[in-house]
Amino acid sequence: MRYEKCLKIKEIITDGDKLSVSDSRVGENMTDILIRAGPGTGKTTRIVREIVSLVKDKKVDPSKILCITYTNPAVEELRERLNKNLGTPSRDIEVHTFHSFALNHLELDERSKLMDDSIKRYVVFRSLVKRNVFNYSKEYLREYAAIISGMIEYLRCYNVSISKLLENRSDILSKLYEYLPENSNFPEYERFLDHFINIYKDYEQFKRENNYYDYTDMLEMFIKTHKDSVFDYDYIFVDELQDTNILEAEVVRIAANKYNNKRETQLFLVGDAKQSIFGFQGGSLVNFREFSKNSDKIFLTDNYRSCQKILDYSAAFLEKHSRDEIMINEAKELTAKNDNDGGVYYVLINNDNRNSIIRSIIENTKDKKIGIITRTNTQAEEVSNFLSEINVDHYCSAPRTGSLIVKNGIIDLLESLFWYDNPEMLAKGLVSPFSGVNLVEILNIFSGNHTDVNFDDIKDKPNYKRFVDMVQLIHYKPGEERDPIKNLKTLFEKYILPISVAFGEEGMLSAVKLYNAVIKYYEEINTFDDYDILDYLRLVDVSEQKEHVEKRISVTTVHKAKGLDYDVVIYLPSTPKRSLKLIEYTEHAILSTITPSYNKEEIDEESIRVDYVAFTRAKEKLFLLFPDKKEFKNMYLLGSNLIEKYTPTFDETNRVAINSIQLSYVSLYSEFIRYLETKDLDVLLRAIESFNSSRRDWMKRLISDRLKQGFETISYSSLVLSPVDIFLYKILGISGISSEALELGTRLHRFYHQMYQLGRKPQSDEEKFWYHQWELCVEQLKEIDPNIKQIGGEVPIYLEQKDISEAFGYSPRWIKRITGKIDAIFQGDKMWIVDYKTSKKQNSYNKQLVFYKQVYAKMKNLNEDDVNVAIFYVLLRDMVNDQDGKPIYHTNVRVGKRSKQSMKAIVNKLKCIDEYISNPDKFIEDLSSDLNQHPNSPYRYLILRFIEEYNRSKSF
C-alpha cells in the first residue's frame, strides 16, 4: 500500500447507533486526523462515535465541538444521531452547513437579502441583451444566461475575482491561444473573454446596488472578516472533505485557528477521493490532499453495504480507467462484511427495449429496494414517465414534463394579455389551458387560419368572458391607479392558480412557483419595465426540488443518490454532455492562469468517479444498461469473471408502449396541441375519454407527503398556522408578500442579535432608538430581578421526538423534532427567556412563552419553576400621533406564567397535525371550515377549486 502515515483499522458497527468507542482516536493528541472512508464503511457512524467518545469518555465541553457538513438533511441526520447517543449534551454541539456557519458569524446590513438562481440568470440575461454579446435570439440567450451565471459561480469558487481577471488578461489570452485547436477563431474567444468580464461586472454591480448577497459571498465575507479571529472550538469535524472548494477549505482553516497560534484546535476530517463528483460546483481534491499532508491518516476498509462482487467490479473499473494509483489501491482494499449474495450484470439496450428491460428487472426482484440511477435528469424523467404509465409507485428526483407545460401555458397567457391586439399573440393565449376557453370553442375558432383571430371578434361572446375579464384586469383604464403587482396577483389568485389544480401535483406547484416569482419580481427588481417580467419568468426554474421520499423504487440521478443505498441498482450510464467549447476553453485558460492548484486532469476524471459512485450504491445486484456501442462496451465490459450478461424475461403481450397516453390533464393538453397540427380528431376524443374516466389520488398523497415534510421539524410558528395557512405555506409553498411591519421586525431582531453576538454598536438614528428602547425594557425587568445580565442571543432550541413526549405529555407520531431560536437569555437570581415583540397579541404570545419554557427546560434538564419568561415590547406604538403627525412609541415588559389552557392548546395542535397527516380527509374538512371564516381571502378561488376536485376524486 502507498499510504504515508496511514493506519489501517477495522470498523466495528454495533447495534444501531449504540457505538463502541474503544478505537476512538480524537483527543489522544492534537494532530489533525483524516479518515479516508470508502463507500459503505460508515463514515457518519465514525463521526458520531468520535464525538460520543469526546463527550462521554474525555469529558469535553459539547459547546467546544463544531461539525460542518454539506446539506441541511445531513445536518438534521447528524443532530438526530448525536441526540440518540448523547441525549441532552448533544444540543450544545454546533452542527452547520458551510454557509449557515459563515452566515452565523457575519454582521450583514439589515436590508441585505439572499439572491436566488432566477435573479442571477436574469441579471446575466439583461447584460447579454444590453451588450449584444451573441448573435442569437432571446430564446438562445436565456440558455446562455444560465450557462454564464453558472460560469461566474464556478470561477468564484476558485476565488477568481474581476480584478484578477483584469490583471491577468494578457496571460489568460496566451493560455487560450496555447489550448485552442488549430483553425480556431481566436479573436472570437478574445471578444468573449472581454464580454464575460463586463457581464461579471454587471452582476456584481447589481448586487451592490440592490443589497444582494449570494452563497459565495457568505464564504468570502466570512474569510475577509475573520481571517485573524480566534474561534473557541477544541474539535472541528468536517464531512465530505473531497467535495470542498477553495473557499470552504479556507473557512475550515480559519475556524480551526490555523492562521494564528492563539488557540489549538484539532480537525477530524472525513472523505473519500473516489467519491469526489461535485467538481462542477468547484469541489476540488486539491483541498483533500492539502489537509492530508499534515494529518494522521486512517483508512476504513470494511464495507457493510455491497457484496464483494460489486466491490471487485468497481475496483477493476477504476484500475482500467483512472490514473490515480492511490484511489485504485484504496478501492482494491475494500472488503465486504456482509452475507449479501449478488453480482454485476449488463444488458445492451436501445430505445425500443429499455423500458421493458427495466420492467423485467423490477418484476424479478420483488420485495427489494430498487434504485434506478441515471446520469441525467432527462433519463430520469423518461424512466419515471414510463413507470407512471404502468402504475408503478415510485420516487423520482427529476422534474417532470408537466412543470414545463404549465410554465409555458401561463407565460403564453400573460403574453397574450399584454399584447391582446396582436392576432398571433392572442391565438397563443387562447390555446393556453389557462385561458378559460373550452376545447369546443377553440376547435371552432381554429377551423381556419389562427392568425385571423381578432380580439374584437370574441370580446362580446359569453364563452370568452373569462379571458376578456383577464385582459381588462391587466390593462389600465384612463385615470386608474397603476398597481401591476396587485393586478397580476389577482390574475393568479382568481384565475391561474385555480385552473392549475387540474394539472395535478406537478402543474399546480409549478403555477405556485411562477406566482411566487411574480411577487419577487415586483418586490426586488421593480425598476425594470413591466413587460420584462416575461423574460424573467422564462428564466424561473419551476421544477420541484424534491426531498428524498422512501419508496421501494426510486429514480434518481447519481448526484442525488450520493449517500443512499439500494438492494438492487439499475444504472443507465451515458456519455458526458458536451460542453460549449467557448465556455470550456475560456474557463480552462482562466483557472490555469489564476489558480495554481487547478488540475484539469482531475476534473476530466470526474466522469469515472461518477460511475464509481453509482456502482457502489448497490448492496446485492448491480445492473448496467447501456447501448450496443463500442465506446460503452470498452468502458464497462471488464471480463466475464466480473460482469455477466443478463437475459431479461418478460411477456411481450403485456409490453407497454413508450408513447402510450398518460391519463392526466398535462397529456390531454398535449394531445390537443397535437390535434391542431394533425387534425386527427379520433386521437383527441380518445384522450378526452381516458381523462374523464380516470382520477388519481395525487391530492391525498400531496397533502400527506407535504405535511410529513413540513411538520417533521416544527417551530412555534408551525403551531399557530390555521388550516388555510397550512395549505398555502406548507403544502403549496406560497410566499407571502412582505410588509413594512414584517421587515421592521426582521431588521430589529437582526440588530439585537448582532448587538449581543458580535458587539455591534448602534450607528444610525434608528438603531440608536432601538438600543434605547431595549435598555428601557432591561431596566423594567431589573425591577423584578435586579441582577440580570444577558448571557445568550438567538439561542437555538432543539428537542427530539422522545423529549417532546416528556415535555408536553403527548407522543407525536409524525413530528420528529422541535427547533427554533429564543431571542435572548438573561441570568440573574433567576433565568429568563426573553422574546422581542413590536405589537401586542396576548393570547398567541402567552402560548409562545409556555412553548419556549417547556422546550428550554427539557433541553437543559432544568426544573420548569427555575425558568422564567418575559416579553420585551420594544416598539409599542400609541394610537394617537403627536401634533406633527409622528408616532409615539413606548415600551413594556410582560412576565409570562405557565397556563394549563395554553399548554392544552399546544398539545391539541400537536395532535391535530398528526391527524391531518394520517387522515387528509380531516384536513380538507377543516380547510373548508376555516375558509368560511376568511371569505375575503385572495386565495379563496384556488382553495375552493382544490376542495372541489378533492371531493370529486373521492367518488371515483
Side-chain angles (χ1 to χ4, degrees):
M1 291 177 58
R2 306 183 181 186
Y3 311 116
E4 186 179 352
K5 289 179 66 180
C6 185
L7 172 66
K8 176 180 173 182
I9 69 169
K10 302 287 184 180
E11 273 291 340
I12 302 173
I13 305 295
T14 58
D15 181 26
D17 281 336
K18 297 176 182 177
L19 305 170
S20 165
V21 295
S22 59
D23 59 349
S24 172
R25 296 290 310 283
V26 177
E28 291 179 359
N29 56 61
M30 295 308 286
T31 303
D32 296 338
I33 295 174
L34 171 61
I35 298 285
R36 303 179 73 110
T41 56
K43 63 182 178 62
T44 305
T45 299
R46 182 70 193 212
I47 291 173
V48 174
R49 175 182 304 173
E50 296 289 353
I51 295 173
V52 169
S53 173
L54 287 174
V55 176
K56 283 189 174 181
D57 295 354
K58 300 181 174 87
K59 308 304 179 185
V60 172
D61 180 351
S63 67
K64 305 297 184 184
I65 299 173
L66 168 67
C67 300
I68 301 180
T69 187
Y70 266 82
T71 64
N72 290 321
V75 167
E76 292 301 329
E77 180 191 1
L78 191 51
R79 280 179 176 158
E80 190 172 334
R81 294 176 71 171
L82 287 171
N83 182 266
K84 186 175 181 180
N85 285 277
L86 286 174
T88 301
S90 72
R91 293 154 198 162
D92 291 326
I93 298 171
E94 287 191 44
V95 185
H96 287 284
T97 63
F98 282 97
H99 295 100
S100 71
F101 174 73
L103 190 61
N104 203 44
H105 292 276
L106 290 176
E107 184 177 334
L108 296 176
D109 182 277
E110 57 267 14
R111 291 175 176 80
S112 298
K113 49 189 178 286
L114 182 63
M115 191 180 213
D116 68 22
D117 289 338
S118 298
I119 295 179
K120 285 182 190 177
R121 290 191 290 267
Y122 187 58
V123 172
V124 173
F125 172 80
R126 289 180 66 242
S127 181
L128 289 172
V129 173
K130 179 182 73 174
R131 298 183 179 280
N132 198 23
V133 175
F134 295 113
N135 187 26
Y136 290 131
S137 66
K138 278 190 173 183
E139 180 182 353
Y140 288 102
L141 290 184
R142 285 191 287 272
E143 293 182 20
Y144 273 92
I147 294 169
I148 293 174
S149 66
M151 181 179 175
I152 292 173
E153 186 174 346
Y154 177 68
L155 292 176
R156 291 182 69 211
C157 289
Y158 282 92
N159 207 18
V160 174
S161 63
I162 294 171
S163 61
K164 288 180 181 179
L165 288 172
L166 293 171
E167 291 168 10
N168 294 277
R169 180 182 178 277
S170 60
D171 292 336
I172 294 169
L173 290 174
S174 297
K175 285 284 186 184
L176 256 176
Y177 191 78
E178 175 187 335
Y179 292 148
L180 287 177
E182 291 184 17
N183 302 321
S184 296
N185 186 350
F186 179 75
E188 185 172 56
Y189 282 83
E190 182 177 7
R191 291 194 300 272
F192 174 70
L193 175 64
D194 290 334
H195 277 307
F196 173 74
I197 294 172
N198 287 327
I199 294 167
Y200 194 170
K201 287 179 181 177
D202 290 342
Y203 175 74
E204 292 296 328
Q205 181 180 349
F206 178 86
K207 286 194 300 179
R208 286 193 304 272
E209 292 176 351
N210 294 276
N211 297 310
Y212 276 114
Y213 64 91
D214 59 26
Y215 284 105
T216 305
D217 287 324
M218 291 183 197
L219 304 179
E220 289 179 342
M221 288 187 288
F222 176 89
I223 293 167
K224 182 178 179 181
T225 304
H226 293 290
K227 189 81 172 182
D228 299 319
S229 298
V230 179
F231 286 87
D232 194 25
Y233 301 112
D234 291 330
Y235 302 95
I236 296 179
F237 292 77
V238 181
D239 196 8
E240 305 287 6
L241 180 67
Q242 75 280 352
D243 291 324
T244 54
N245 62 40
I246 288 176
L247 300 178
E248 290 162 343
E250 193 71 353
V251 168
V252 172
R253 293 187 183 97
I254 291 172
N257 304 301
K258 297 300 182 183
Y259 294 110
N260 60 65
N261 297 315
K262 298 177 182 178
R263 200 185 191 300
E264 195 172 29
T265 303
Q266 184 178 21
L267 286 173
F268 187 89
L269 311 162
V270 182
D272 180 17
K274 303 183 296 301
Q275 298 186 75
S276 176
I277 62 172
F278 287 93
F280 63 93
Q281 294 179 351
S284 173
L285 285 173
V286 169
N287 303 307
F288 189 92
R289 297 189 181 104
E290 284 298 313
F291 279 112
S292 180
K293 289 177 182 177
N294 300 310
S295 303
D296 284 342
K297 269 80 70 179
I298 298 175
F299 177 37
L300 306 187
T301 62
D302 290 348
N303 179 290
Y304 293 87
R305 177 189 296 157
S306 305
C307 69
Q308 192 62 49
K309 288 183 178 179
I310 292 174
L311 296 179
D312 290 344
Y313 175 83
S314 302
F317 178 82
L318 279 184
E319 185 173 27
K320 179 176 180 180
H321 299 295
S322 176
R323 285 171 283 187
D324 191 315
E325 292 188 18
I326 292 179
M327 286 197 294
I328 293 168
N329 288 328
E330 282 184 354
K332 287 181 177 180
E333 288 289 329
L334 290 175
T335 304
K337 291 295 178 180
N338 55 56
D339 298 325
N340 291 342
D341 182 25
V344 183
Y345 310 91
Y346 75 93
V347 186
L348 301 178
I349 62 169
N350 54 50
N351 289 335
D352 293 329
N353 68 4
R354 182 194 66 185
N355 289 347
S356 296
I357 291 167
I358 290 173
R359 180 175 186 175
S360 168
I361 296 172
I362 292 173
E363 291 174 348
N364 286 284
T365 51
K366 292 180 179 178
D367 303 322
K368 296 291 185 181
K369 184 180 173 185
I370 300 173
I372 304 173
I373 301 179
T374 66
R375 285 295 293 265
T376 68
N377 278 323
T378 300
Q379 288 175 301
E381 181 187 3
E382 290 170 355
V383 173
S384 180
N385 286 339
F386 168 72
L387 295 179
S388 296
E389 289 173 11
I390 60 175
N391 297 316
V392 173
D393 185 33
H394 67 285
Y395 160 80
C396 179
S397 68
R400 303 288 293 276
T401 307
S403 301
L404 188 58
I405 289 178
V406 167
K407 173 183 174 180
N408 291 339
I410 293 173
I411 292 174
D412 285 347
L413 174 69
L414 293 176
E415 197 170 32
S416 72
L417 297 179
F418 288 154
W419 293 286
Y420 67 94
D421 52 353
N422 180 310
E424 189 170 348
M425 297 292 187
L426 178 63
K428 284 177 66 177
L430 291 173
V431 171
S432 165
F434 294 91
S435 68
V437 181
N438 64 51
L439 288 175
V440 175
E441 285 296 329
I442 295 175
L443 288 171
N444 288 335
I445 202 165
F446 281 98
S447 58
N449 188 338
H450 68 269
T451 57
D452 291 336
V453 180
N454 189 287
F455 184 72
D456 289 337
D457 297 334
I458 64 172
K459 66 180 182 180
D460 296 323
K461 293 184 177 180
N463 290 334
Y464 293 87
K465 183 179 185 307
R466 178 177 290 187
F467 182 82
V468 173
D469 288 345
M470 287 190 277
V471 171
Q472 292 172 345
L473 177 64
I474 290 297
H475 290 271
Y476 308 100
K477 301 179 180 67
E480 184 180 3
E481 183 180 355
R482 197 168 186 272
D483 190 352
I485 187 171
K486 177 183 177 182
N487 291 356
L488 267 179
K489 273 186 84 272
T490 302
L491 178 72
F492 269 85
E493 292 158 1
K494 188 174 181 180
Y495 299 105
I496 293 175
L497 292 179
I499 293 174
S500 74
V501 175
F503 280 82
E505 179 180 351
E506 294 276 349
M508 183 177 65
L509 297 180
S510 298
V512 168
K513 286 194 174 184
L514 280 187
Y515 171 71
N516 290 338
V518 166
I519 294 173
K520 180 180 283 288
Y521 176 86
Y522 282 110
E523 286 186 343
E524 299 189 9
I525 47 180
N526 57 7
T527 55
F528 305 147
D529 186 275
D530 285 343
Y531 291 157
D532 282 353
I533 193 173
L534 295 179
D535 287 327
Y536 170 68
L537 292 180
R538 288 188 175 98
L539 289 161
V540 171
D541 182 8
V542 295
S543 60
E544 184 69 6
Q545 299 299 315
K546 303 175 184 176
E547 293 186 26
H548 182 76
V549 178
E550 282 296 326
K551 302 266 189 183
R552 186 177 85 84
I553 298 173
S554 296
V555 183
T556 178
T557 61
V558 183
H559 291 88
K560 295 286 179 65
K562 186 85 179 290
L564 303 175
D565 54 44
Y566 308 92
D567 298 323
V568 176
V569 164
I570 303 171
Y571 180 44
L572 280 69
S574 69
T575 52
K577 185 179 180 181
R578 295 178 64 86
S579 60
L580 291 167
K581 294 299 182 184
L582 191 66
I583 305 294
E584 180 183 342
Y585 284 116
T586 305
E587 280 182 347
H588 183 28
I590 290 171
L591 292 173
S592 298
T593 304
I594 295 177
T595 310
S597 61
Y598 173 69
N599 186 332
K600 189 172 187 302
E601 181 179 300
E602 169 199 303
I603 293 171
D604 290 341
E605 279 205 359
E606 183 163 296
S607 181
I608 297 168
R609 298 193 294 271
V610 169
D611 282 339
Y612 180 83
V613 168
F615 301 160
T616 54
R617 300 310 93 198
K619 294 181 179 179
E620 300 172 15
K621 293 184 178 181
L622 170 63
F623 292 90
L624 275 66
L625 278 56
F626 52 83
D628 186 2
K629 294 181 179 179
K630 184 178 179 180
E631 62 265 32
F632 284 96
K633 291 179 179 179
N634 289 340
M635 193 77 180
Y636 300 109
L637 296 185
L638 306 182
S640 58
N641 61 319
L642 292 169
I643 183 168
E644 304 174 38
K645 186 173 183 178
Y646 174 75
T647 303
T649 57
F650 48 82
D651 185 351
E652 285 287 349
T653 60
N654 293 325
R655 181 175 170 188
V656 179
I658 293 175
N659 294 319
S660 61
I661 295 174
Q662 287 179 263
L663 306 179
S664 69
Y665 197 52
V666 169
S667 296
L668 180 63
Y669 176 60
S670 299
E671 290 301 321
F672 171 71
I673 296 300
R674 187 176 300 138
Y675 163 75
L676 294 179
E677 299 172 355
T678 65
K679 304 298 182 182
D680 190 339
L681 186 59
D682 288 339
V683 172
L684 178 61
L685 293 176
R686 284 199 302 273
I688 294 172
E689 183 181 355
S690 297
F691 171 71
N692 288 333
S693 64
S694 65
R695 294 277 177 179
R696 296 186 295 175
D697 61 349
W698 68 268
M699 288 179 158
K700 184 173 288 190
R701 185 183 66 250
L702 174 70
I703 293 171
S704 183
D705 288 350
R706 281 300 180 101
L707 292 186
K708 283 179 186 175
Q709 294 171 13
F711 288 111
E712 183 178 66
T713 299
I714 67 165
S715 61
Y716 176 74
S717 60
S718 302
L719 298 179
V720 296
L721 296 176
S722 69
V724 167
D725 292 334
I726 289 172
F727 177 74
L728 295 175
Y729 306 130
K730 293 291 186 180
I731 294 177
L732 297 188
I734 283 179
S735 302
I737 294 184
S738 61
S739 63
E740 288 186 15
L742 182 62
E743 289 180 358
L744 173 64
T746 301
R747 287 163 44 218
L748 182 140
H749 277 78
R750 184 183 292 176
F751 170 72
Y752 285 154
H753 169 62
Q754 293 177 350
M755 182 180 73
Y756 172 78
Q757 191 76 23
L758 303 174
R760 177 174 178 175
K761 303 296 182 184
Q763 297 172 1
S764 65
D765 289 342
E766 182 180 52
E767 289 180 352
K768 291 175 183 177
F769 178 68
W770 292 346
Y771 180 71
H772 173 69
Q773 297 294 95
W774 178 84
E775 285 187 312
L776 291 177
C777 287
V778 172
E779 291 303 315
Q780 291 178 56
L781 188 58
K782 282 185 176 181
E783 295 175 7
I784 302 171
D785 190 345
N787 299 315
I788 61 163
K789 181 181 180 181
Q790 187 173 356
I791 61 171
E794 288 205 1
V795 178
I797 56 175
Y798 187 86
L799 279 188
E800 283 291 344
Q801 196 170 38
K802 61 183 178 64
D803 300 316
I804 298 174
S805 174
E806 294 174 12
F808 295 99
Y810 172 71
S811 181
R813 178 181 177 188
W814 299 106
I815 299 168
K816 291 188 177 180
R817 62 191 69 86
I818 287 175
T819 63
K821 287 185 178 179
I822 293 171
D823 288 344
I825 302 285
F826 285 77
Q827 182 69 60
D829 296 334
K830 303 175 181 179
M831 176 172 285
W832 293 88
I833 291 175
V834 171
D835 201 57
Y836 302 131
K837 299 295 182 188
T838 57
S839 64
K840 282 192 173 182
K841 294 179 182 176
Q842 300 288 353
N843 293 335
S844 172
Y845 291 164
N846 193 63
K847 281 189 288 187
Q848 185 173 6
L849 291 173
V850 170
F851 179 80
Y852 284 157
K853 180 184 178 84
Q854 293 298 118
V855 172
Y856 191 75
K858 178 60 187 172
M859 190 176 101
K860 294 295 185 180
N861 280 336
L862 299 171
N863 189 304
E864 293 173 24
D865 295 334
D866 295 332
V867 180
N868 298 273
V869 288
I871 296 177
F872 282 12
Y873 292 106
V874 290
L875 284 180
L876 291 180
R877 183 171 174 171
D878 288 354
M879 185 170 64
V880 180
N881 296 332
D882 67 13
Q883 294 302 309
D884 296 326
K886 295 180 180 179
I888 303 296
Y889 291 98
H890 67 277
T891 62
N892 189 23
V893 173
R894 176 171 175 264
V895 176
K897 298 180 180 179
R898 193 177 191 277
S899 160
K900 288 184 178 179
Q901 185 177 0
S902 295
M903 187 71 168
K904 184 178 179 181
I906 292 170
V907 172
N908 286 340
K909 193 66 176 183
L910 294 173
K911 291 179 178 178
C912 186
I913 291 170
D914 269 349
E915 185 176 11
Y916 285 165
I917 295 172
S918 302
N919 182 12
D921 289 354
K922 172 61 176 171
F923 173 72
I924 290 295
E925 180 183 327
D926 287 358
L927 178 63
S928 181
S929 299
D930 190 36
L931 186 62
N932 291 333
Q933 305 300 316
H934 300 84
N936 297 320
S937 169
Y939 303 101
R940 182 173 180 81
Y941 296 101
L942 166 63
I943 297 172
L944 284 173
R945 180 67 182 271
F946 188 90
I947 293 172
E948 177 187 339
E949 289 292 321
Y950 182 93
N951 290 329
R952 184 182 300 162
S953 69
K954 289 168 61 178
S955 65
F956 282 84

